[in-house]
Amino acid sequence: MVAAHGSHSASSGEWIACLDKRPLERSSEDVDIIFTRLKEVKAFEKFHPNLLQQICLCGYYENLEKGITLFRQGDIGTNWYAVLTGSLDVKVSDTSNHQDAVTICTLGIGTAFGESILDNTPRHATIVTREYSELLRIEQKDFKALWEKYRQYMSGLLTPPYGVMETGSNNDSKYEKLDIRWWTPLIDPHIPHHPTKTITQVPSEKILRAGKILRNTILSRAPHMIRDRKYHLKTYRQCCVGTELVDWMMQQSPCVHLRTQAVGMWQVLLEEGVLNHVDQEHHFQDKYLFYRFLDDEREDAPLPTEEEKKECDEELQDTMLLLSQIGPDAHMRMILRKPPGQRTVDDLEFIYEELLHIKALSHLSTTVSSIFISVFNQGEEGTSWYIILKGSVNVVIYGKGVVCTLHEGDDFGKLALVNDAPRAASIVLREDNCHFLRVDKEDFNRILRDVEANTVRLKEHDQDVLVLEKIPAGNRISNQGNSQPQHKYIVMSGTPEKILEHFLETMRLEATLSEATDSVLNDFIMMHCVFMPNSQLCPALMAQYPFPSQGTEQEKMDYALNNKRRVIRLVLQWAALYGDLLQEDEAAMAFLEEFYVSVSDDTRMIAALKEQLPELEKIVKQISEEPKASQKKHKVLLQLFNTSDDRAQKRQPIRGSDEVLFKVYCIDQTYTTIRVPVSSSVKEVISAVADKLGSGEGLIIVKMSSGGEKVVLKPHDVSVFTTLSVNGRLFACPRDQFDSLAPLPEQEGPSTGTVGTFELMSSKDLAHQMTVYDWELFNCVHELELIYHTFGRHNFKKTTANLDLFLRRFNEIQFWVVTEICLCSQLSKRVQLLKKYIKIAAHCKEYKNLNSFFAIIMGLSNVAVSRLSLTWEKLPSKFKKIYAEFESLMDPSRNHRAYRLTVAKLDPPIIPFMPLLIKDMTFTHEGNKTFTDNLVNFEKMRMIANTVRTVKFCRSQSFNPDAALTNKNHQDVRSYVRQLNVIDNQRTLSQMSHRLEPRRA
């Protein structure tokens, strides 16, 4: 489950409490809760379910503060560990003095270590927590028992010598039995390339079967595609044409959106020799080129029987799904096998899109030249830099063994290039079929030279104040027919004032306002709140506005006119983006009024400014008059922001100054109702509660989930009302009574389902009304709320109420699915419920409501539902296939590429999968510093702004509910989807699931 604020489907309190129990005391529900949490952890994603289930029975939870030494180099180990959150430094010393230890790498989330306990060898390194970290620990006796029982599952998952490596008599021999076919260079620029027939020696059974299904389906549905072809007086037997294969593939399945996608799918077959180019080329091309299926290599190739045709029809969509999932990787490999000089513009575009999602390459340009790599050993000269695209490797130091593991997105080898030094360690393949990018030393140095050569630094008092990078601008032609410059300069970093000056100086005044809004200037306007708040921006804008003090009168007038027009243009864009949010900022309101007066005065002397005055006047009047109107009547939001009784009026965005009536509960489960602004801090909430109770000494405010998880809120936290979980409540109590707090009975949720009510409603009506409501919530989310959420709303003292409610809706729909199924005691009814939810999800996808679509599918994949094997067994195969297709869109691999490909084909209006947008922004924020060398890292601002623009794109067309779908029962359906009553306690849901279908022996 993706929770509104990064929590997991099993709350942290629940699964930790389960792990804290002695193994013999853990119930099956406890194991389910731990299992739900652990299967989301990268370290366990490849573990067999049976093995993971056993880990849930014997693992322990540990949390360590920053700077704690877990164990020292040379210690005899007693535990195996996996990193759940945080990170740990790996330190190695060549002497017996631990003070000499050098940090050689960092273990992040998803890494595991400690396999040396299997043979009691000393620890190879010292492990120290880099930050607060949470670990899963398995004791030596339990780990050895798991190894004995599940050796066949674990051998490919643990670091050598227990995993893929075979133990030998010395360091050289223990690498001998590695399968390194993917490590050998596929193109060597110094050796003539002689293509072989296939890249792999023997096709896998899955791909062999996929090729047979596609061939038989083509012979059944379009037999003319496979026939003898003549070209240049030569006959090629039983061939297909590349373009026809791509056309046919796109017609067969909704999961194939792009021609490049289909090319990748055929490339999978070509790589394994199931499909072959007649001249044995390695690259499948969307051209008039001839390809032949493996079965057609024989002269007496059999035609499919009727039985085989039927089987192929049934398996076709599953085959398409499989190929669509692995096709992009094959397409990437196909491009990377080409020498750099042979890559087309489309190839480079494809590589660039892929590299954007690799953390090691997040700041590199498209000039990176890359091919597959070969393994290197400690002591070798450093000649290349490597990035892991897929799989993982071990870092091995002679005499110390495996010191850490690197995963997808990590890089290695850069230090040896920078320092021109020998390799400090050996890199050993940890699993089969690992894929890498290689940047040769020559290209790496060229990149560094190019970056520095294309970097312009503006200095003041010997300090950098603005850093620009020169990049290609493309050969665009202006409206006047003039060729535009081939290069442009983009801001990389700078002081806030210098960045503002740069954007004003480079603003194109000939562009219309709508064109200017799409420029990089909008990144500054959107992100300035992070590094240059309005209290700093407004005076800076006024400072940019007055006349210059030097030069001739005409020069002064020309300079002033252009300068003033630029500042006015920026202010118009700024006010358009922030809108009525400016009402709550006194500095901004005072600036707007002062600025408007200055521009009005100037129009008397500078007639050219008059054309911009009406628009400025309209914005100032609109923003300044709305607060006066709203002061007459405060908008009061009811408890828990329940807006189900809002009749049919248009939903209005929640503002920080809006007031909320809210219940805050006491230790005895009585409550007091307070009325405060939405953006109030916890300190202000405590003050309001104290006024009602008559005393507030030592009071704390606690957020309580239905499962009993308690979080003490900090005094500076703001807008806490909307951050509660679906059935969460706020409590106030003295600090010494914290342990006595317990959830309210009302937080448990319903005891009976509503299947009798909503089974009478059509799936399409339900999906339609859900989409109408979701659009209302989504449309109220201001783009800036995503920025406040990412950087911490307490840093801005702003509310993110609209975003919070939209994210909470995602969780509410998930739990609605799980609740209704777990409350349904009849097997036949549960099967009907599964069908109904799959239908609703299909309609949500049709309406481009991806938020609810994903919420429903994730609800069906919740462990309390997915374990109901009797129910799923009775689901018709047609629905199982639809659900499998939907699940494939949730595939998180390659940074959720399946989802991103789907969205790329959609036109607005779209309701996006908001938790993924939040994840993207959080990843960018946490992976990049906001300030570098005391300068604003504007590259980071641009990356985050680009993600925020997705929201703007999704809403660039208004959503108009289809009146034809509004039937006589629409009011009942509308009310139902807005008042979902759910159980959000994973433990309770798991217990209910086990009562419905007890665990099979």
Side-chain angles (χ1 to χ4, degrees), residues 632-837:
K632 298 175 184 176
K633 181 182 178 183
H634 283 291
K635 178 164 62 172
V636 179
L637 304 170
L638 299 179
Q639 176 193 340
L640 294 181
F641 296 80
N642 185 351
T643 55
S644 58
D645 59 344
D646 62 354
R647 305 293 184 265
Q649 70 261 37
K650 184 181 178 183
R651 186 185 181 91
Q652 295 298 317
I654 299 168
R655 298 293 174 226
S657 57
D658 292 339
E659 291 191 329
V660 56
L661 280 176
F662 211 82
K663 291 179 181 177
V664 179
Y665 293 84
C666 302
I667 191 83
D668 59 359
Q669 300 198 342
T670 59
Y671 65 84
T672 181
T673 303
I674 61 170
R675 175 173 174 154
V676 291
V678 172
S679 60
S680 296
S681 67
V682 167
K683 187 176 179 181
E684 291 166 330
V685 172
I686 290 174
S687 177
V689 171
D691 285 345
K692 286 293 189 78
L693 298 180
S695 172
E697 191 173 346
L699 275 185
I700 56 173
I701 298 295
V702 179
K703 192 160 58 172
M704 171 87 76
S705 74
S706 60
E709 182 187 11
K710 295 175 282 191
V711 178
V712 179
L713 299 174
K714 297 172 184 173
H716 66 263
D717 287 341
V718 296
S719 190
V720 295
F721 310 103
T722 50
T723 62
L724 294 172
S725 57
V726 177
N727 288 334
R729 298 290 186 271
L730 280 187
F731 284 76
C733 72
R735 188 172 291 276
D736 59 4
Q737 294 181 2
F738 172 78
D739 291 335
S740 302
L741 288 176
L744 305 168
E746 68 183 53
Q747 290 183 254
E748 292 177 5
S751 56
T752 57
T754 60
V755 63
T757 302
F758 91 95
E759 71 178 346
L760 302 175
M761 302 172 182
S762 84
S763 301
K764 193 165 190 175
D765 286 346
L766 284 161
H768 178 252
Q769 288 300 333
M770 286 169 71
T771 303
V772 170
Y773 184 42
D774 288 355
W775 180 263
E776 289 178 19
L777 293 170
F778 175 53
N779 206 37
C780 288
V781 177
H782 198 287
E783 293 160 42
L784 290 167
E785 289 188 64
L786 279 82
I787 297 169
Y788 299 153
H789 181 280
T790 303
F791 287 86
R793 55 184 165 272
H794 61 276
N795 292 320
F796 306 91
K797 296 182 173 56
K798 299 289 186 182
T799 184
T800 56
N802 303 289
L803 177 60
D804 295 337
L805 293 180
F806 185 50
L807 288 168
R808 191 166 77 185
R809 174 66 174 176
F810 183 87
N811 289 340
E812 187 177 60
I813 292 173
Q814 282 188 81
F815 283 123
W816 168 57
V817 173
V818 186
T819 299
E820 292 296 338
I821 291 174
C822 287
L823 284 173
C824 185
S825 58
Q826 267 184 278
L827 177 60
S828 60
K829 288 274 190 186
R830 287 201 302 278
V831 176
Q832 292 304 313
L833 271 176
L834 286 184
K835 289 170 62 176
K836 185 126 189 149
Y837 280 126

Side-chain angles (χ1 to χ4, degrees), residues 453-470:
N454 290 320
T455 300
V456 178
R457 299 177 185 274
L458 177 65
K459 293 180 180 287
E460 290 183 357
H461 307 296
D462 290 327
Q463 296 292 321
D464 287 344
V465 292
L466 188 67
V467 180
L468 306 174
E469 185 181 1
K470 178 182 174 184

